[in-house]
């Protein structure tokens, strides 16, 4: 009868090196995932900025980066569009819209927002809010967004004010926690590991000529 004994002895230095490599892998994976979603956010942000207003207070000129979520998808490449459709996102709205009163005073503007017939409560000036939750990437392009404005100060109405030049609101998307973690484990970690392998291979080649120089 044979008995096999195995002893594994790992020094503190080796444990520390292992932990450092693990932390490096986690950090690089996180940076890759954040970079991907920040790029998606930048590519899909719709911004409405007031360029000028008419004296009649009945009309104004507004610059729109992308006019609708549908056009948004036409503007981005399929390399972004394809993975985008696999995940779920929250739709966020930031309100920085102001109006000018009869005496030139600045008045905060409240926003009513409705997305696909789902109403979101009044969004205050300088407020960021999630107006639609867990929207699949394939459905973002077909979102129907309607909005209306009202003056926060009840002493003023829309008829005796006008939109303030330079004020704006913007709509953007950000992944749900589940989608973020999915991309982190499916793409972030494997890609980070590949990058570390390439760095290690370059390091060994520069210092030792491996694997092109034989040690024998």
């Amino acid at each position: 009868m044979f008995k096999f004994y195995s002893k594994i002895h790992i020094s503190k230095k080796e444990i520390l090196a292992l932990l450092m490599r693990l932390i490096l892998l986690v950090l690089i994976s996180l940076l890759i995932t954040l970079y991907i979603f920040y790029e998606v956010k930048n590519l899909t942000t719709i911004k409405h900025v007031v360029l000028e207003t008419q004296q009649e207070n009945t009309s104004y000129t507004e610059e729109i980066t992308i006019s609708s979520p549908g056009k948004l998808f036409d503007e981005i490449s399929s390399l972004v569009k394809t993975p985008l459709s696999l995940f779920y996102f929250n739709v966020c709205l930031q309100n920085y819209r102001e109006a000018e009163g009869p005496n030139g005073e600045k008045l905060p503007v409240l926003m009513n927002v409705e997305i696909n017939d789902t109403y979101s409560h009044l969004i205050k000036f300088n407020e960021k809010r999630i107006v639609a939750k867990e929207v699949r990437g394939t459905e973002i392009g077909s979102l129907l967004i309607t909005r209306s404005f009202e003056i926060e100060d009840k002493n003023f109405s829309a008829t005796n004010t006008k939109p303030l030049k330079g004020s704006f609101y913007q709509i953007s998307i950000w992944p749900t926690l589940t989608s973020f973690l999915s991309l982190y484990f499916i793409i972030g970690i494997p890609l980070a590991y590949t990058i570390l392998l390439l760095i290690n291979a370059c390091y060994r080649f520069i210092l030792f000529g491996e694997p092109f120089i034989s040690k024998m």
Side-chain angles (χ1 to χ4, degrees):
M1 185 175 181
F2 296 95
K3 293 182 178 180
F4 297 92
Y5 298 92
S6 61
K7 289 185 178 180
I8 301 175
H9 177 71
I10 302 177
S11 64
K12 290 183 179 179
K13 186 177 180 180
E14 290 173 328
I15 292 175
L16 182 61
L18 182 63
L19 286 174
M20 291 298 294
R21 288 195 292 268
L22 182 60
I23 291 171
L24 185 62
L25 178 64
V26 169
L27 288 178
I28 293 177
S29 305
L30 182 60
L31 288 175
I32 290 171
T33 308
L34 286 172
Y35 173 78
I36 291 173
F37 279 124
Y38 268 116
E39 284 299 302
V40 169
K41 179 180 179 293
N42 291 335
L43 287 170
T44 56
T45 295
I46 303 173
K47 190 172 184 178
H48 299 248
V49 183
V50 177
L51 292 182
E52 59 180 353
T53 58
Q54 306 300 324
Q55 292 299 323
E56 302 81 27
N57 301 348
T58 57
S59 62
Y60 61 93
T61 304
E62 187 176 68
E63 180 185 47
I64 308 173
T65 53
I66 303 173
S67 60
S68 68
K71 188 178 179 182
L72 170 157
F73 266 63
D74 295 333
E75 297 290 329
I76 62 179
S77 68
S78 57
L79 291 175
V80 177
K81 198 183 305 182
T82 302
L84 193 68
S85 64
L86 302 176
F87 299 101
Y88 289 86
F89 297 85
N90 294 326
V91 180
C92 301
L93 190 144
Q94 291 176 272
N95 177 25
Y96 297 103
R97 180 61 65 91
E98 291 180 290
E100 184 179 334
N103 298 319
E105 61 269 49
K106 292 182 180 181
L107 302 170
V109 175
L110 303 175
M111 288 188 63
N112 291 289
V113 179
E114 196 173 279
I115 298 182
N116 287 0
D117 298 325
T118 301
Y119 174 73
S120 178
H121 293 289
L122 279 171
I123 301 175
K124 297 180 179 180
F125 173 74
N126 202 25
E127 180 183 3
K128 179 180 180 180
R129 186 190 298 171
I130 296 175
V131 292
K133 294 183 178 181
E134 297 186 354
V135 180
R136 193 175 181 88
T138 51
E139 299 172 354
I140 291 177
S142 60
L143 289 178
L144 179 61
I145 302 174
T146 57
R147 73 276 189 275
S148 62
F149 307 96
E150 61 181 85
I151 307 302
E152 185 174 4
D153 190 336
K154 298 304 179 184
N155 295 319
F156 296 88
S157 65
T159 56
N160 62 355
T161 63
K162 57 184 178 180
L164 190 65
K165 182 178 177 180
S167 63
F168 67 95
Y169 71 92
Q170 67 181 27
I171 301 169
S172 58
I173 64 172
W174 189 249
T176 62
L177 180 60
T178 302
S179 295
F180 186 89
L181 293 176
S182 297
L183 185 69
Y184 177 78
F185 287 107
I186 295 173
I187 297 178
I189 288 181
L191 190 56
Y193 184 72
T194 303
I195 291 172
L196 289 174
L197 283 179
L198 289 173
I199 293 174
N200 183 63
C202 292
Y203 170 78
R204 288 182 173 275
F205 171 72
I206 292 171
L207 290 185
F208 309 111
E210 295 179 353
F212 306 106
I213 296 177
S214 176
K215 294 181 179 181
M216 296 181 62

